[in-house]
């Protein structure tokens, strides 16, 4: 069994309301932080493979909880690269940090989510793969086999396709049909005692340099003007004619 | 100058490629991986040059291999489409060049870039360096017109392919995918059961629309995840989005609120979906859908 590194990100829960204050998302207003949903499938797929599984996150101090949660379901090693404000980093810097972290673990197989639920970018999997000199496949919704030869299901222009890929590789997961395992009491107790290796980018030997991308402001989406509301199915014909004549979309 | 990486669909150019030319603002070089769609690209207005990149590595998609083969041909600002393949390819090229990538861009004003975050619950404005690679969200910019006649240069490139296709699986249905559709009709838990989606499909067929679904029905009724619209499904921006029996959970709204026009049909007058609807109809689907089918038939 090959060692697997799983890249995890803590994000506001997808049911959380996002509040903007002073041109930034107000983290204090986030009522619940969760593991990014696609990362949950990456972790689950790693646990299904078994063996040594290092859960890695890059983020502020609060993200440590994510690693403890991963340990509670079976991650064997935990690594926290502390970066207090991820919005100060560009994709290249994040890929550099995470690939250095993976190399420290010795893992040749990396699982991650197809994108994080906050930035929605999807740059990390392919970026880390490139920096590691590894192959990459994204949007994977089924996986079988092992590091000597995985078979992964991904979308294609014709529908879906099953592709083969072997270590060293990065696999970025989409939502899967797989049931996610939940921690039991013993797992939770064990996880609390589990050591977290806490490092800075400099500890990993990563010279970040200057970011190519600078955040100016985060803003709420443009308010839509109030819509028109109608009562009863008899109004459907009216709406259809408005779609044709006002909106010009039919 | 700007280098555009063409998005292809089967053996031809995907319409988003013409939108990338508009996003680039002229003087664009279009790279066509595998040579696909090179003549179509050359006919777009605002294109200075087309590079048709041929090689065995383009037979199937391997973002790493394609990136290796294309990277050295990219000059100036690089723009690709924010599609599944476009995003992976852009990220791979950026990491290879040691520069940043900004995905899913919806606004470009010089070096000031706007993109949605939290699946549209917020936007962010970024200042990017000259070599930052951008992927542009489909249907954000109008497509460039035809009438161009750019020269096509053919180059051969090779790269090691590490992702091999074992089996192609055709789509379960011929139905349009929500990511590609200009009109989407989506159903939620209010539809009562998965069988009732046939009523949505019938209307979709009339409209040439795709059928979408809320997370609740994907998770609880086992509908295909490829139909799911929302923060953990697909983010869509069609011209018309019709939500039927969808209450409008925050994570669903995140995935569809950027649609140009939204119609909501729900029997609950207080459903949050009405907050984002341009046209709201308070009615049961059992009454509204036959009326909708009839009204569309009368157009």
């Amino acid at each position: 069994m090959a060692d697997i590194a799983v890249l995890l990100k803590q994000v506001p829960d997808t049911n959380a309301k996002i509040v903007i204050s002073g041109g930034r998302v107000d983290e204090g207003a986030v009522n619940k932080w969760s593991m990014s949903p696609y990362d949950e499938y990456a972790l689950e797929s790693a646990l299904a493979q078994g063996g040594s599984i290092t859960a890695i996150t890059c983020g502020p101090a609060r993200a440590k909880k994510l690693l403890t949660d991963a340990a509670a379901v079976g991650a064997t090693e935990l690594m926290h690269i502390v970066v207090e404000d991820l919005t100060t980093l560009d994709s290249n810097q994040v890929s550099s940090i995470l690939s250095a972290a993976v190399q420290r673990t010795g893992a040749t197989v990396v699982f991650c989510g197809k994108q994080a639920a906050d930035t929605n970018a999807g740059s990390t999997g392919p970026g880390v793969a490139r920096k590691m000199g590894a192959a990459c496949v994204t949007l994977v919704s089924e996986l079988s086999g092992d590091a000597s030869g995985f078979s992964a299901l991904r979308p294609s222009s014709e529908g879906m396709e099953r592709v083969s890929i072997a270590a060293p590789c990065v696999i970025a997961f989409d939502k899967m049909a797989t049931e996610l395992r939940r921690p039991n009491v013993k797992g939770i107790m064990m996880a609390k005692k589990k050591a977290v290796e806490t490092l800075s980018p400099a500890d990993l030997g990563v010279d970040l340099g200057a970011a190519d991308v600078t955040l100016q402001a985060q803003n709420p989406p443009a308010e839509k003007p109030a819509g028109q509301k109608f009562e009863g199915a008899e109004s459907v014909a009216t709406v259809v004619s408005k779609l044709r004549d006002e909106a010009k979309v039919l | 100058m700007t280098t555009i990486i063409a998005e292809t669909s089967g053996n031809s150019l995907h319409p988003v490629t013409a939108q990338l030319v508009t996003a680039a603002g002229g003087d664009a070089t279009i790279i066509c991986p595998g040579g696909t769609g090179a003549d179509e690209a050359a006919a777009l207005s605002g294109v200075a040059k087309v590079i048709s990149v041929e090689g065995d590595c383009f037979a199937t998609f391997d973002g790493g291999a394609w990136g290796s083969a294309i990277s050295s041909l990219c000059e100036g600002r690089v723009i690709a489409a924010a599609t599944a393949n476009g995003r992976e390819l852009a990220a791979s090229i950026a990491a290879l060049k040691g520069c940043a990538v900004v995905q899913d861009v919806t606004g470009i004003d010089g070096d000031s870039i706007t993109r949605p975050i939290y699946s549209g619950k917020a936007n962010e404005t970024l200042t990017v360096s000259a070599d930052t690679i951008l992927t542009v969200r489909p249907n954000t910019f109008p497509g460039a017109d035809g009438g161009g006649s750019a020269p096509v240069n053919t180059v051969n490139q090779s790269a090691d392919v590490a992702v091999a296709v074992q089996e192609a699986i055709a789509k379960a249905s011929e139905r349009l995918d929500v990511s590609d559709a200009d009109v989407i009709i989506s159903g939620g838990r209010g539809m009562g059961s998965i069988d009732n989606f046939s009523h949505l499909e019938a209307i979709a067929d009339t409209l040439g629309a795709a059928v979408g679904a809320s997370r609740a029905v994907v998770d609880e009724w086992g509908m295909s995840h490829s139909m799911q619209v929302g923060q953990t499904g697909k983010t869509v921006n069609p011209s018309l989005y019709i939500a039927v029996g969808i209450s409008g959970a925050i994570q669903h709204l995140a995935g569809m609120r950027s649609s140009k026009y939204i119609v909501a049909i729900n029997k609950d007058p207080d459903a949050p979906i009405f907050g984002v609807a341009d046209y709201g109809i308070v009615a049961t689907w059992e009454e509204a859908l036959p009326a909708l089918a009839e009204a569309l038939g009368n157009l």
Side-chain angles (χ1 to χ4, degrees):
Chain A
M1 263 178 299
D3 293 352
I4 301 177
V6 186
L7 309 181
L8 304 172
K9 187 174 188 184
Q10 189 188 46
V11 298
D13 192 85
T14 54
N15 287 314
K17 194 164 162 36
I18 299 298
V19 178
I20 309 282
S21 170
R24 290 285 188 280
V25 168
D26 181 359
E27 294 204 347
V30 174
N31 57 6
K32 188 181 177 193
W33 293 89
S34 300
M35 188 181 296
S36 185
Y38 303 113
D39 299 354
E40 294 188 288
Y41 293 97
L43 177 59
E44 178 60 40
S45 300
L47 295 169
Q49 288 280 321
S52 167
I53 295 162
T54 307
I56 301 173
T57 196
C58 177
R62 61 169 156 73
K64 187 180 169 193
K65 180 182 180 296
L66 176 77
L67 296 176
T68 312
D69 291 347
V73 288
T76 55
E77 265 78 43
L78 310 176
M79 190 186 289
H80 184 183
I81 319 305
V82 180
V83 171
E84 274 311 320
D85 183 359
L86 284 175
T87 65
T88 62
L89 298 183
D90 66 33
S91 66
N92 188 46
Q93 293 170 315
V94 172
S95 300
S96 296
I97 291 169
L98 290 173
S99 62
V102 170
Q103 268 149 15
R104 184 180 175 93
T105 70
T108 54
V109 174
V110 178
F111 287 0
C112 62
K114 70 167 180 177
Q115 62 186 43
D118 51 359
T119 59
N120 310 132
S123 304
T124 295
V128 168
R130 175 67 73 183
K131 305 247 180 215
M132 289 173 60
C136 181
V137 59
T138 65
L139 309 182
V140 171
S141 56
E142 273 180 37
L143 187 76
S144 57
D146 59 31
S148 63
F150 288 113
S151 176
L153 186 69
R154 70 172 182 186
S156 72
S157 55
E158 277 75 44
M160 303 291 286
E161 62 191 13
R162 221 174 279 284
V163 299
S164 62
I165 185 169
C169 62
V170 175
I171 297 179
F173 289 86
D174 201 344
K175 192 169 180 173
M176 306 172 95
T178 318
E179 187 93 12
L180 297 170
R181 69 194 68 190
R182 299 293 168 199
N184 56 31
V185 175
K186 186 175 166 224
I188 292 167
M189 298 308 290
M190 297 274 284
K192 282 182 178 159
K193 293 183 218 143
K194 194 116 199 153
V196 176
E197 186 176 28
T198 305
L199 301 164
S200 68
D203 292 337
L204 291 166
V206 178
D207 177 10
L208 289 175
D212 281 343
V213 177
T214 317
L215 176 63
Q216 292 173 15
Q218 295 172 325
N219 298 299
E223 280 296 323
K224 280 190 84 153
Q228 306 172 40
K229 203 164 167 187
F230 303 88
E231 291 286 334
E234 57 279 9
S235 61
V236 168
T238 310
V239 169
V240 167
S241 53
K242 280 173 178 287
L243 288 172
R244 184 187 57 191
D245 303 330
E246 282 180 8
K248 302 192 188 332
V249 288
L250 289 181
Chain B
M1 70 160 282
T2 306
T3 301
I4 290 169
I5 300 173
E7 179 78 15
T8 56
S9 174
N11 293 318
S12 56
L13 211 58
H14 189 286
V16 71
T17 311
Q19 299 164 16
L20 301 180
V21 175
T22 306
D27 190 26
T29 296
I30 300 189
I31 292 180
C32 292
T36 306
D39 292 339
E40 293 169 79
L44 291 171
S45 166
V47 177
K49 185 171 71 173
V50 173
I51 305 177
S52 171
V53 192
E54 298 182 355
D56 294 343
C57 59
F58 296 109
T60 55
F61 183 70
D62 177 342
W66 286 32
S68 299
I70 288 171
S71 177
S72 64
L73 303 168
C74 295
E75 291 177 43
R77 165 86 70 220
V78 179
I79 300 182
T83 55
N85 289 1
R87 284 171 179 245
E88 185 180 336
L89 187 52
S92 190
I93 293 173
L96 181 58
K97 285 175 161 281
C99 59
V101 58
V102 175
Q103 306 269 14
D104 207 17
V105 169
T106 52
I108 302 176
D109 180 7
D111 287 335
S112 183
I113 303 297
T114 307
R115 66 184 297 269
I117 50 175
Y118 300 95
S119 300
K121 290 179 191 171
N123 294 314
E124 65 183 7
T125 307
L126 308 163
T127 307
V128 299
S129 66
D131 61 355
T132 299
I133 296 178
L134 309 177
T135 66
V136 172
R137 176 178 286 203
N139 301 330
T140 304
F141 292 88
D145 295 329
S149 57
V152 178
N153 299 353
T154 301
V155 298
N156 280 283
Q157 295 284 89
S158 63
D160 293 332
V161 174
V163 178
V165 174
Q166 300 167 303
E167 182 192 2
I169 302 161
K171 283 192 179 93
S173 73
E174 283 304 303
R175 213 159 273 293
L176 205 56
D177 189 273
V178 290
S179 307
D180 298 329
D182 197 45
V183 179
I184 297 171
I185 183 163
S186 284
R189 208 190 257 127
M191 291 299 296
S193 78
I194 193 166
D195 295 336
N196 292 330
F197 268 68
S198 60
H199 299 280
L200 298 177
E201 287 166 5
I203 288 170
D205 290 342
T206 310
L207 286 170
V211 178
S214 70
R215 182 169 77 184
V217 306
V218 170
D219 286 353
E220 293 167 24
W221 299 347
M223 301 211 67
S224 166
H225 177 242
S226 66
M227 296 170 69
Q228 185 182 324
V229 173
Q231 197 168 1
T232 52
K234 287 178 176 149
T235 300
V236 297
N237 56 339
S239 298
L240 175 61
Y241 188 90
I242 305 173
V244 186
I246 293 178
S247 63
I250 192 162
Q251 72 87 28
H252 185 78
L253 301 183
M256 48 63 83
R257 66 182 305 153
S258 67
S259 304
K260 285 196 184 68
Y261 286 92
I262 297 169
V263 174
I265 298 172
N266 203 295
K267 65 181 177 187
D268 174 6
D270 299 322
I273 191 80
F274 288 122
V276 299
D278 299 279
Y279 302 102
I281 300 168
V282 182
T284 64
W285 68 264
E286 290 94 331
E287 290 169 341
L289 290 185
L292 182 56
E294 188 188 338
L296 292 171
N298 291 339
L299 280 181

